[in-house]
Amino acid sequence: MDIAELNQKHAIANHVAFREIADGMPAAEISNAHAKAGIALQGAHLYAWQPDGHEPVIWLSEFAKFAPGKSLRGGIPVCWPWFGPHDSDSKLPAHGYARTSMWDVVETAALPDGSTQIRFELAQTNQMREQWPHAASVQLQISVGRTLQVSLITANTGDSPFTLGEALHTYFRIGDVSNVAIRGLDGCSYIDKVADAAHQVQHGDIVIDNEVDRVYLDTDADCIIEDRGLKRAIRIAKQGSHSTVVWNPWIEKAEKMGDLGEDGYRAMVCVESANALDNVVSIAPNETHHLSVIYSVEPLD
Ligand code: TA6
């Protein structure tokens, strides 16, 4: 569907309109009474959310490139139908193929509370089936308002169960990494990917003073990013997710990645709602599985 067709079919005055944000990159631009947001149709990738009266909540690298087939540094990458490296074929893309594939807009709606809702579906191709030979449909539903609600919805449309790895790999904007603590994971066991996947237990809040890449397991807890720099707390309230990933590349890794910008690692932290590693989920025939998160911003008391 081209931009004209997208607007003809799905635009809503004072809510959502579509435009090309780069060559071959259509996006939904949302602006309503409560917030602004931007979502690229490639990956159904939300790259901006700013509730009225607040600084942007979602971080996007100044070096992020909107390019066909390329992942975007920042926003909410949708990791599906696996998380991290493919478990048997290293040539396949990390975090699955959903985030670099074009999604279709299924519907848009203006909600009674003034929020804007948009639902996407990934059109599965033969190439995808070759990478992951299962009969599944996947949709992403996003509601943009004072809060941001994101649901990743997977249905088993076949006649045998399959195992799914997934994440909303969300990059949050923070004042400075030295002024942040992440609460909610005290006592949780985690796999430490910067310590040869050692199993550890979290004691107290998470502070970041080096590279952090941890998959917290068997937790459905809310997480709170306490940002003393921006004097706010971001709450991540999830359902249908048993893992939480916390990631900051720190200096060396950020330099190697090359697309976080000068000191970009200081302005971001990922707190990802996932089903990963030991927590991958098995979905039975005709079952529909939701991984849902509500993001909200609260003043720091
Ligand atoms: O979720 C953390 C992580 O798996 C890190 O290991 C790092 O690779 C990050 O994702 C970014 O991955 P990407 O493929 O987007 O560069």
Side-chain angles (χ1 to χ4, degrees):
M1 212 181 279
D2 65 20
I3 297 292
E5 288 169 297
L6 283 167
N7 279 315
Q8 190 271 323
K9 198 162 180 203
H10 297 297
I12 302 174
N14 304 318
H15 278 273
V16 54
F18 297 83
R19 75 176 180 87
E20 213 166 66
I21 48 173
D23 285 350
M25 297 293 284
E29 291 203 319
I30 291 171
S31 177
N32 60 37
H34 304 305
K36 291 188 178 6
I39 310 163
L41 270 63
Q42 177 170 281
H45 193 134
L46 185 140
Y47 56 84
W49 172 52
Q50 183 169 12
D52 287 356
H54 290 282
E55 295 282 324
V57 179
I58 298 295
W59 178 84
L60 184 69
S61 169
E62 60 182 306
F63 290 79
K65 289 190 186 55
F66 291 93
K70 296 276 182 253
S71 60
L72 197 61
R73 183 66 60 211
I76 307 183
V78 174
C79 303
W80 192 95
W82 63 84
F83 178 84
H86 187 273
D87 56 13
S88 59
D89 183 348
S90 59
K91 294 191 300 302
L92 293 180
H95 295 324
Y97 49 72
R99 64 172 174 165
T100 52
S101 303
M102 287 304 287
W103 293 53
D104 298 321
V105 178
V106 175
E107 70 175 348
T108 52
L111 300 183
D113 69 356
S115 301
T116 308
Q117 189 171 85
I118 184 166
R119 191 151 48 89
F120 301 89
E121 180 154 19
L122 176 63
Q124 308 262 353
T125 63
N126 292 336
Q127 190 195 11
M128 292 173 190
R129 291 264 184 271
E130 281 162 22
Q131 297 185 42
W132 193 70
H134 301 291
S137 70
V138 60
Q139 295 194 343
L140 192 77
Q141 179 169 287
I142 299 176
S143 301
V144 174
R146 287 192 186 85
T147 65
L148 178 68
Q149 307 191 25
V150 184
S151 280
L152 181 57
I153 305 159
T154 302
N156 185 335
T157 57
D159 51 17
S160 50
F162 57 68
T163 298
L164 176 72
E166 58 183 343
L168 295 174
H169 190 302
T170 307
Y171 289 73
F172 294 97
R173 187 170 177 285
I174 54 178
D176 184 275
V177 70
S178 61
N179 278 336
V180 156
I182 297 164
R183 287 179 34 207
L185 295 166
D186 182 24
C188 282
S189 63
Y190 64 91
I191 293 173
D192 190 343
K193 288 168 63 178
V194 296
D196 297 327
H199 281 251
Q200 313 276 12
V201 176
Q202 182 61 38
H203 297 292
D205 294 348
I206 301 165
V207 292
I208 298 171
D209 55 9
N210 213 317
E211 181 183 355
V212 169
D213 193 349
R214 302 174 186 172
V215 180
Y216 289 83
L217 297 170
D218 306 322
T219 170
D220 58 6
D222 285 15
C223 282
I224 292 178
I225 302 171
E226 285 195 349
D227 184 345
R228 290 180 294 279
L230 292 180
K231 295 184 175 50
R232 70 180 181 187
I234 299 171
R235 179 176 293 270
I236 299 129
K238 64 175 191 172
Q239 290 187 327
S241 156
H242 308 294
S243 322
T244 295
V245 181
V246 177
W247 177 59
N248 183 290
W250 205 247
I251 301 167
E252 204 178 313
K253 183 81 172 277
E255 275 168 13
K256 275 194 201 131
M257 298 178 93
D259 59 358
L260 279 97
E262 183 69 25
D263 285 348
Y265 76 95
R266 304 199 65 90
M268 54 68 67
V269 65
C270 283
V271 178
E272 307 158 36
S273 304
N275 287 302
L277 301 182
D278 310 26
N279 290 145
V280 292
V281 289
S282 176
I283 302 182
N286 304 314
E287 181 189 347
T288 298
H289 159 75
H290 294 242
L291 188 167
S292 301
V293 189
I294 299 175
Y295 303 104
S296 56
V297 187
E298 305 157 358
L300 201 52
D301 44 27

